[in-house]
Amino acid sequence: MLTVLLALTPATVFGWWLFGLPAILLFGVTVGACVVVEAVCLVLQGRSVQIGIADGSAILTGWLLAMSLPPWAPWWTGALGAVFAIALAKHAFGGLGQNVFNPAMVARVALLVSFPVVMTAWVSPQPLFSPGAPALGAALDITFGPGVPDAVTSATTLGHVKTELSRGIPVTQSVAEVPALRDLVFGLRGGSLGETSAIFVLAGGLLLLARRIISWHIPVAVLGSLFAMGTLFHAVNPARFADGSFHLLSGASFLGAFFIATDYVTSPVSKTGQLVFGIGCGVLAWVIRTFAGYPEGMAFAVLLMNALTPIIDQYTRPRLFGRSRDGAPLPLREDA
Amino acid sequence: MKLFPVRGGIHPDYRKSLSSNEAIVVMPMPRRLVLPLQQHIGAPAEVLVAAGEQVRKGQLLARGQGPVSAPLHAPTSGVIEAISQIPAPHPSGLPQTAIVLLPDGLDAWAPLPAPLADPFEAPPEAIREHVAQAGIVGMGGAAFPAAVKLGLGGQHRIDTLLINGAECEPYLTCDDRVMREHADDVVDGARLMARALDAPCVIIAIEANKPEAIDSISHAAAKFAEVQVVAVPVQYPMGSERHLVQAITGRETPARRLTADIGVVVHNPGTARAVHEAVRHGRPLTHRVVTVSGGAVRHPRNVDVALGTPVADLLAFCGGLTGMEEQLVQGGPMMGQPLPSLDVPVVKGTSGILALTAEEVAEQPASPCIRCGSCVSVCPCGLVPVELAAYIRKDRLEDAAKLGVQDCLSCGSCAWVCPSHIPLVQYFNYAKGRLNADAAVQRKNDRTRTLAEARTLRLEKAEAAKRAAAAVRQAAATANAATGDINA
Ligand code: SF4
Ligand code: SF4
């Protein structure tokens, strides 16, 4: 668990720098709230708070949730998100290991559906120590007080393309207006705290792979299928569909592929199952981004695939030694 | 030689260095030997001696009963003190009948059966007969009567005899030492067994982490074109018969079949050596090499010990315990069983006696399953341990059976990798035990029912026959009466 938190750190610190003090405050509130809600749930069930907190799962959930919120969102989104994630998505299902849906994604989607305006109030980057960055007083106002001054809101790249498309402006043109590829890779753009920087998220993901915390199956399947869908449809109609690399580099693609979809509890247990699951996430994310009302689809995609995990598990069991797929003993060789 | 990949498996901490450099030492005869009548899978042997009787080394004490059984011989000369109940050397600890022998210190041999003059000229049954008479059982731990396995050549076409020198369990080094120090005997025994099976080819598979054993066996085998030595990857449970056969031949043994069904018979190097002793010298199986090891044993070593030696004496011979022992195990730490007591004796299937410290046991409290899937990746049988455990926890044994819990090897790989320290194998052993017991009851009920049905049928038939007879008599009487009438 520590390794996962460590892997998230570069992207997080970058997000803190990019979005300044309000983002740091919101991050603190969200993680803290998750730990508190976890403790309360454990106490109510008469379970050991110490052991329950020490497993780090509540911190991780809070962290991932914070990374997927608009960085200047008010404090109560983090607090309410913690209740959705920990109390409803996790403990209502029986606690660690029992939940069907990824808690952080449940919280994100619940907030997005309930408070669409607040949850899509993106700001353009205001790096720490830069002239425009809010000072402590202004930051406290943003997080705990009246909120974000209208002037600084902006759209995410996915959101921008989507809006333009709805106004009849072809993707080819709107993509040209979004930040340059270099800025997408490094994450110098509007977006949630932790998903803007593809390269830092990727670095964390590679650490997880190297330490064998996760295997390659889910990330490769998610990113591969998302890229494939993008490339394929872009080839068919470039004016209507953004290309593969655009899909990979915008939104929560990398965060979702390495940190969200790979959640042990809510993904299939066999490697084959993980491939199926990952491909499902990638394809669904593309479908939602392209056809549904929401610009970003990763969270919805992961939740939908979570629901399918038990079925995927059932159909992707390994073949038993000495038996055929249907469980019957293998036939003897003719010449034996 | 090209090897075939085997699914799953793990790389446990080997800990073999504790005893691998200790040459086999012969333990002096203890004060008393305790010889259980059942030291093999199958029917217990039938006692031939009585308390007070004087016996000599190698004398037959109990003879095999039924098709799957093995006789028992005196490991030394002495007096039978008693034939009594002792705690059996397996975890149930259920009492078992044993012959107690008080050695007289003379070690005087009884007359031995004549060795086979030229076993490669004699018919294969002659070798099998010698192996059967010598009471040899599989010495890797399974203790299946060796002669029965050598008889499989009669019913199957065996193309390969595989000697399983993988010894993949951590700590155990007795096969390693036997192969290093008695390579010629092992190779000769293997060739004799191949002859008994009419198998044209012998493959001796040794894990790559035993270079000395590979060297000495290769050297001993060099003279024989039909014997090949193969280094197999260091991977637990490579010593599982079916998986080793798959690695070497690429053939997968169908479920519920023997490897003999696909043309391969597997034996252990210790067994091969015992076969050599029996066929070439007429000596029955009375001793075996046991690895005594673990962090709580003062002098870990490999000991050539008389069968029947109490574990307490064996441990004392190894310098005794340090007092830090947390768990006593017989066999290896992965698949071995806890020792019920120090009074139990060494038997034919005892490959190791381990005294493990708390640190080595490293038992940690279980936490909830996080569905990490590690157990699924490592299971060499393709089972889904996480799912099985969930069913067993809910007492849904039928569902666990449908998912193949009975195919589980109990290798312990899944529990070993589980980050939540869930004792998965214990779940599976419990389920297998319950399912087997239920199946036994079911079989018994079925049998009772068939018998009852047969009886009803028989009674009905008898009744019908009686009625038929009565009818015939009646008819005859009527006819008689009629004819009587005429005659009268
Ligand atoms: S103990 Fe059974 S279920 Fe576990 S890995 Fe071994 S064979 Fe598979
Ligand atoms: S290894 Fe343990 S924690 Fe992981 S899935 Fe299997 S049982 Fe669950």
Side-chain angles (χ1 to χ4, degrees), chain B residues 236-237 375 378-385 388 405 407-415 424-425 428 432:
Chain B
Y236 177 88
C375 53
V378 299
C379 178
C381 296
L383 294 162
V384 184
L388 293 176
V405 71
D407 288 6
C408 165
L409 273 177
S410 295
C411 71
S413 304
C414 51
L424 294 161
V425 222
F428 308 149
K432 283 189 279 182

PDB file of all heavy atoms in Angstrom, chain B residues 236-237 375 378-385 388 405 407-415 424-425 428 432, ligand 1:
ATOM      1  N   TYR B 236       8.888 -24.784  -6.885  1.00  0.00           N
ATOM      2  CA  TYR B 236       8.007 -25.618  -6.090  1.00  0.00           C
ATOM      3  C   TYR B 236       6.617 -25.551  -6.710  1.00  0.00           C
ATOM      4  O   TYR B 236       6.200 -24.456  -7.089  1.00  0.00           O
ATOM      5  CB  TYR B 236       7.979 -25.104  -4.650  1.00  0.00           C
ATOM      6  CG  TYR B 236       7.039 -25.862  -3.781  1.00  0.00           C
ATOM      7  CD1 TYR B 236       7.456 -27.003  -3.119  1.00  0.00           C
ATOM      8  CD2 TYR B 236       5.713 -25.467  -3.661  1.00  0.00           C
ATOM      9  CE1 TYR B 236       6.574 -27.730  -2.345  1.00  0.00           C
ATOM     10  CE2 TYR B 236       4.828 -26.195  -2.899  1.00  0.00           C
ATOM     11  CZ  TYR B 236       5.262 -27.316  -2.248  1.00  0.00           C
ATOM     12  OH  TYR B 236       4.389 -28.039  -1.493  1.00  0.00           O
ATOM     13  N   PRO B 237       5.851 -26.602  -6.827  1.00  0.00           N
ATOM     14  CA  PRO B 237       6.108 -28.004  -6.478  1.00  0.00           C
ATOM     15  C   PRO B 237       6.550 -28.858  -7.660  1.00  0.00           C
ATOM     16  O   PRO B 237       5.798 -29.677  -8.135  1.00  0.00           O
ATOM     17  CB  PRO B 237       4.736 -28.463  -5.995  1.00  0.00           C
ATOM     18  CG  PRO B 237       3.768 -27.685  -6.861  1.00  0.00           C
ATOM     19  CD  PRO B 237       4.466 -26.428  -7.294  1.00  0.00           C
ATOM     20  N   CYS B 375      -3.059 -16.048  -5.578  1.00  0.00           N
ATOM     21  CA  CYS B 375      -3.287 -17.477  -5.385  1.00  0.00           C
ATOM     22  C   CYS B 375      -3.719 -18.130  -6.694  1.00  0.00           C
ATOM     23  O   CYS B 375      -3.418 -19.301  -6.939  1.00  0.00           O
ATOM     24  CB  CYS B 375      -4.331 -17.709  -4.286  1.00  0.00           C
ATOM     25  SG  CYS B 375      -5.870 -16.811  -4.530  1.00  0.00           S
ATOM     26  N   VAL B 378      -0.535 -18.707  -8.952  1.00  0.00           N
ATOM     27  CA  VAL B 378       0.467 -19.705  -8.563  1.00  0.00           C
ATOM     28  C   VAL B 378      -0.075 -21.124  -8.519  1.00  0.00           C
ATOM     29  O   VAL B 378       0.718 -22.070  -8.490  1.00  0.00           O
ATOM     30  CB  VAL B 378       1.108 -19.409  -7.195  1.00  0.00           C
ATOM     31  CG1 VAL B 378       1.830 -18.073  -7.219  1.00  0.00           C
ATOM     32  CG2 VAL B 378       0.106 -19.491  -6.078  1.00  0.00           C
ATOM     33  N   CYS B 379      -1.379 -21.313  -8.501  1.00  0.00           N
ATOM     34  CA  CYS B 379      -1.878 -22.679  -8.327  1.00  0.00           C
ATOM     35  C   CYS B 379      -1.466 -23.548  -9.509  1.00  0.00           C
ATOM     36  O   CYS B 379      -1.849 -23.276 -10.644  1.00  0.00           O
ATOM     37  CB  CYS B 379      -3.393 -22.711  -8.182  1.00  0.00           C
ATOM     38  SG  CYS B 379      -3.980 -24.405  -8.032  1.00  0.00           S
ATOM     39  N   PRO B 380      -0.697 -24.593  -9.260  1.00  0.00           N
ATOM     40  CA  PRO B 380      -0.236 -25.440 -10.364  1.00  0.00           C
ATOM     41  C   PRO B 380      -1.376 -26.270 -10.941  1.00  0.00           C
ATOM     42  O   PRO B 380      -1.210 -26.869 -12.002  1.00  0.00           O
ATOM     43  CB  PRO B 380       0.823 -26.332  -9.723  1.00  0.00           C
ATOM     44  CG  PRO B 380       0.489 -26.350  -8.283  1.00  0.00           C
ATOM     45  CD  PRO B 380      -0.150 -25.029  -7.971  1.00  0.00           C
ATOM     46  N   CYS B 381      -2.504 -26.314 -10.279  1.00  0.00           N
ATOM     47  CA  CYS B 381      -3.611 -27.143 -10.759  1.00  0.00           C
ATOM     48  C   CYS B 381      -4.673 -26.319 -11.474  1.00  0.00           C
ATOM     49  O   CYS B 381      -5.697 -26.861 -11.877  1.00  0.00           O
ATOM     50  CB  CYS B 381      -4.256 -27.880  -9.590  1.00  0.00           C
ATOM     51  SG  CYS B 381      -3.112 -29.016  -8.841  1.00  0.00           S
ATOM     52  N   GLY B 382      -4.473 -25.013 -11.594  1.00  0.00           N
ATOM     53  CA  GLY B 382      -5.463 -24.190 -12.277  1.00  0.00           C
ATOM     54  C   GLY B 382      -6.709 -23.928 -11.449  1.00  0.00           C
ATOM     55  O   GLY B 382      -7.767 -23.592 -11.983  1.00  0.00           O
ATOM     56  N   LEU B 383      -6.591 -24.083 -10.141  1.00  0.00           N
ATOM     57  CA  LEU B 383      -7.746 -23.798  -9.290  1.00  0.00           C
ATOM     58  C   LEU B 383      -7.825 -22.299  -9.003  1.00  0.00           C
ATOM     59  O   LEU B 383      -6.872 -21.560  -9.238  1.00  0.00           O
ATOM     60  CB  LEU B 383      -7.621 -24.571  -7.974  1.00  0.00           C
ATOM     61  CG  LEU B 383      -7.701 -26.095  -8.118  1.00  0.00           C
ATOM     62  CD1 LEU B 383      -7.146 -26.784  -6.892  1.00  0.00           C
ATOM     63  CD2 LEU B 383      -9.142 -26.505  -8.342  1.00  0.00           C
ATOM     64  N   VAL B 384      -8.967 -21.869  -8.481  1.00  0.00           N
ATOM     65  CA  VAL B 384      -9.139 -20.479  -8.075  1.00  0.00           C
ATOM     66  C   VAL B 384      -9.321 -20.473  -6.554  1.00  0.00           C
ATOM     67  O   VAL B 384     -10.441 -20.447  -6.056  1.00  0.00           O
ATOM     68  CB  VAL B 384     -10.353 -19.842  -8.781  1.00  0.00           C
ATOM     69  CG1 VAL B 384     -10.473 -18.358  -8.441  1.00  0.00           C
ATOM     70  CG2 VAL B 384     -10.218 -20.005 -10.290  1.00  0.00           C
ATOM     71  N   PRO B 385      -8.210 -20.528  -5.818  1.00  0.00           N
ATOM     72  CA  PRO B 385      -8.299 -20.689  -4.368  1.00  0.00           C
ATOM     73  C   PRO B 385      -9.191 -19.664  -3.686  1.00  0.00           C
ATOM     74  O   PRO B 385      -9.939 -20.011  -2.766  1.00  0.00           O
ATOM     75  CB  PRO B 385      -6.850 -20.548  -3.912  1.00  0.00           C
ATOM     76  CG  PRO B 385      -6.049 -20.993  -5.091  1.00  0.00           C
ATOM     77  CD  PRO B 385      -6.816 -20.525  -6.289  1.00  0.00           C
ATOM     78  N   LEU B 388     -12.721 -20.838  -4.033  1.00  0.00           N
ATOM     79  CA  LEU B 388     -12.950 -22.060  -3.251  1.00  0.00           C
ATOM     80  C   LEU B 388     -13.094 -21.721  -1.768  1.00  0.00           C
ATOM     81  O   LEU B 388     -14.018 -22.185  -1.102  1.00  0.00           O
ATOM     82  CB  LEU B 388     -11.775 -23.031  -3.422  1.00  0.00           C
ATOM     83  CG  LEU B 388     -11.594 -23.644  -4.798  1.00  0.00           C
ATOM     84  CD1 LEU B 388     -10.335 -24.512  -4.815  1.00  0.00           C
ATOM     85  CD2 LEU B 388     -12.802 -24.477  -5.162  1.00  0.00           C
ATOM     86  N   VAL B 405     -12.173 -28.652  -5.984  1.00  0.00           N
ATOM     87  CA  VAL B 405     -11.332 -28.655  -4.772  1.00  0.00           C
ATOM     88  C   VAL B 405     -10.655 -30.014  -4.575  1.00  0.00           C
ATOM     89  O   VAL B 405      -9.551 -30.106  -4.048  1.00  0.00           O
ATOM     90  CB  VAL B 405     -12.150 -28.238  -3.524  1.00  0.00           C
ATOM     91  CG1 VAL B 405     -13.137 -29.297  -3.118  1.00  0.00           C
ATOM     92  CG2 VAL B 405     -11.220 -27.931  -2.364  1.00  0.00           C
ATOM     93  N   ASP B 407      -9.253 -31.746  -6.747  1.00  0.00           N
ATOM     94  CA  ASP B 407      -8.049 -31.831  -7.565  1.00  0.00           C
ATOM     95  C   ASP B 407      -6.870 -31.121  -6.906  1.00  0.00           C
ATOM     96  O   ASP B 407      -5.759 -31.156  -7.419  1.00  0.00           O
ATOM     97  CB  ASP B 407      -8.280 -31.197  -8.941  1.00  0.00           C
ATOM     98  CG  ASP B 407      -9.195 -32.051  -9.814  1.00  0.00           C
ATOM     99  OD1 ASP B 407      -9.715 -33.058  -9.294  1.00  0.00           O
ATOM    100  OD2 ASP B 407      -9.394 -31.703 -10.988  1.00  0.00           O
ATOM    101  N   CYS B 408      -7.125 -30.451  -5.778  1.00  0.00           N
ATOM    102  CA  CYS B 408      -6.060 -29.695  -5.106  1.00  0.00           C
ATOM    103  C   CYS B 408      -4.999 -30.661  -4.593  1.00  0.00           C
ATOM    104  O   CYS B 408      -5.300 -31.685  -4.017  1.00  0.00           O
ATOM    105  CB  CYS B 408      -6.646 -28.885  -3.954  1.00  0.00           C
ATOM    106  SG  CYS B 408      -5.443 -28.254  -2.795  1.00  0.00           S
ATOM    107  N   LEU B 409      -3.740 -30.278  -4.825  1.00  0.00           N
ATOM    108  CA  LEU B 409      -2.592 -31.100  -4.426  1.00  0.00           C
ATOM    109  C   LEU B 409      -2.224 -30.904  -2.964  1.00  0.00           C
ATOM    110  O   LEU B 409      -1.330 -31.577  -2.472  1.00  0.00           O
ATOM    111  CB  LEU B 409      -1.363 -30.577  -5.157  1.00  0.00           C
ATOM    112  CG  LEU B 409      -0.958 -31.012  -6.517  1.00  0.00           C
ATOM    113  CD1 LEU B 409       0.269 -30.205  -6.912  1.00  0.00           C
ATOM    114  CD2 LEU B 409      -0.587 -32.471  -6.433  1.00  0.00           C
ATOM    115  N   SER B 410      -2.797 -29.889  -2.338  1.00  0.00           N
ATOM    116  CA  SER B 410      -2.377 -29.449  -1.001  1.00  0.00           C
ATOM    117  C   SER B 410      -0.926 -29.000  -0.992  1.00  0.00           C
ATOM    118  O   SER B 410      -0.237 -29.171   0.010  1.00  0.00           O
ATOM    119  CB  SER B 410      -2.568 -30.561   0.039  1.00  0.00           C
ATOM    120  OG  SER B 410      -3.914 -30.852   0.173  1.00  0.00           O
ATOM    121  N   CYS B 411      -0.474 -28.427  -2.099  1.00  0.00           N
ATOM    122  CA  CYS B 411       0.935 -28.046  -2.178  1.00  0.00           C
ATOM    123  C   CYS B 411       1.232 -26.813  -1.338  1.00  0.00           C
ATOM    124  O   CYS B 411       2.374 -26.546  -1.001  1.00  0.00           O
ATOM    125  CB  CYS B 411       1.338 -27.791  -3.621  1.00  0.00           C
ATOM    126  SG  CYS B 411       0.617 -26.285  -4.306  1.00  0.00           S
ATOM    127  N   GLY B 412       0.205 -26.029  -1.022  1.00  0.00           N
ATOM    128  CA  GLY B 412       0.423 -24.878  -0.152  1.00  0.00           C
ATOM    129  C   GLY B 412       0.944 -23.641  -0.848  1.00  0.00           C
ATOM    130  O   GLY B 412       1.195 -22.634  -0.201  1.00  0.00           O
ATOM    131  N   SER B 413       1.102 -23.676  -2.169  1.00  0.00           N
ATOM    132  CA  SER B 413       1.615 -22.496  -2.880  1.00  0.00           C
ATOM    133  C   SER B 413       0.705 -21.300  -2.681  1.00  0.00           C
ATOM    134  O   SER B 413       1.172 -20.172  -2.488  1.00  0.00           O
ATOM    135  CB  SER B 413       1.733 -22.779  -4.376  1.00  0.00           C
ATOM    136  OG  SER B 413       2.538 -23.895  -4.591  1.00  0.00           O
ATOM    137  N   CYS B 414      -0.601 -21.531  -2.735  1.00  0.00           N
ATOM    138  CA  CYS B 414      -1.542 -20.414  -2.648  1.00  0.00           C
ATOM    139  C   CYS B 414      -1.440 -19.729  -1.289  1.00  0.00           C
ATOM    140  O   CYS B 414      -1.363 -18.512  -1.199  1.00  0.00           O
ATOM    141  CB  CYS B 414      -2.965 -20.896  -2.909  1.00  0.00           C
ATOM    142  SG  CYS B 414      -3.458 -22.324  -1.937  1.00  0.00           S
ATOM    143  N   ALA B 415      -1.421 -20.530  -0.234  1.00  0.00           N
ATOM    144  CA  ALA B 415      -1.334 -19.943   1.099  1.00  0.00           C
ATOM    145  C   ALA B 415       0.002 -19.227   1.266  1.00  0.00           C
ATOM    146  O   ALA B 415       0.086 -18.194   1.927  1.00  0.00           O
ATOM    147  CB  ALA B 415      -1.481 -21.025   2.162  1.00  0.00           C
ATOM    148  N   LEU B 424      -5.185 -20.929   3.251  1.00  0.00           N
ATOM    149  CA  LEU B 424      -6.035 -21.524   2.214  1.00  0.00           C
ATOM    150  C   LEU B 424      -5.981 -23.049   2.201  1.00  0.00           C
ATOM    151  O   LEU B 424      -7.018 -23.708   2.138  1.00  0.00           O
ATOM    152  CB  LEU B 424      -5.623 -20.966   0.849  1.00  0.00           C
ATOM    153  CG  LEU B 424      -5.882 -19.466   0.687  1.00  0.00           C
ATOM    154  CD1 LEU B 424      -5.067 -18.882  -0.445  1.00  0.00           C
ATOM    155  CD2 LEU B 424      -7.359 -19.225   0.441  1.00  0.00           C
ATOM    156  N   VAL B 425      -4.766 -23.639   2.291  1.00  0.00           N
ATOM    157  CA  VAL B 425      -4.687 -25.105   2.229  1.00  0.00           C
ATOM    158  C   VAL B 425      -5.498 -25.758   3.323  1.00  0.00           C
ATOM    159  O   VAL B 425      -6.087 -26.812   3.114  1.00  0.00           O
ATOM    160  CB  VAL B 425      -3.255 -25.645   2.417  1.00  0.00           C
ATOM    161  CG1 VAL B 425      -2.971 -26.756   1.453  1.00  0.00           C
ATOM    162  CG2 VAL B 425      -2.244 -24.570   2.450  1.00  0.00           C
ATOM    163  N   PHE B 428      -8.857 -26.166   2.231  1.00  0.00           N
ATOM    164  CA  PHE B 428      -9.052 -27.196   1.211  1.00  0.00           C
ATOM    165  C   PHE B 428      -8.931 -28.594   1.812  1.00  0.00           C
ATOM    166  O   PHE B 428      -9.662 -29.501   1.437  1.00  0.00           O
ATOM    167  CB  PHE B 428      -8.081 -26.996   0.046  1.00  0.00           C
ATOM    168  CG  PHE B 428      -8.137 -25.598  -0.502  1.00  0.00           C
ATOM    169  CD1 PHE B 428      -7.032 -24.988  -1.064  1.00  0.00           C
ATOM    170  CD2 PHE B 428      -9.323 -24.870  -0.427  1.00  0.00           C
ATOM    171  CE1 PHE B 428      -7.106 -23.692  -1.537  1.00  0.00           C
ATOM    172  CE2 PHE B 428      -9.398 -23.571  -0.892  1.00  0.00           C
ATOM    173  CZ  PHE B 428      -8.278 -22.983  -1.444  1.00  0.00           C
ATOM    174  N   LYS B 432     -11.769 -31.305   1.563  1.00  0.00           N
ATOM    175  CA  LYS B 432     -11.523 -32.627   0.963  1.00  0.00           C
ATOM    176  C   LYS B 432     -11.878 -33.730   1.946  1.00  0.00           C
ATOM    177  O   LYS B 432     -12.486 -34.725   1.580  1.00  0.00           O
ATOM    178  CB  LYS B 432     -10.055 -32.735   0.519  1.00  0.00           C
ATOM    179  CG  LYS B 432      -9.781 -31.988  -0.767  1.00  0.00           C
ATOM    180  CD  LYS B 432      -8.391 -32.308  -1.292  1.00  0.00           C
ATOM    181  CE  LYS B 432      -7.346 -31.475  -0.575  1.00  0.00           C
ATOM    182  NZ  LYS B 432      -6.003 -31.736  -1.100  1.00  0.00           N
TER     183      LYS B 432
HETATM  184  S1  SF4 C   1      -2.778 -26.003  -2.249  1.00  0.00           S
HETATM  185 FE1  SF4 C   1      -4.248 -26.627  -3.781  1.00  0.00          FE
HETATM  186  S2  SF4 C   1      -5.289 -24.760  -4.371  1.00  0.00           S
HETATM  187 FE2  SF4 C   1      -3.427 -24.137  -3.280  1.00  0.00          FE
HETATM  188  S3  SF4 C   1      -1.928 -23.859  -4.905  1.00  0.00           S
HETATM  189 FE3  SF4 C   1      -1.689 -25.956  -4.211  1.00  0.00          FE
HETATM  190  S4  SF4 C   1      -3.023 -27.149  -5.568  1.00  0.00           S
HETATM  191 FE4  SF4 C   1      -3.614 -24.991  -5.813  1.00  0.00          FE
END
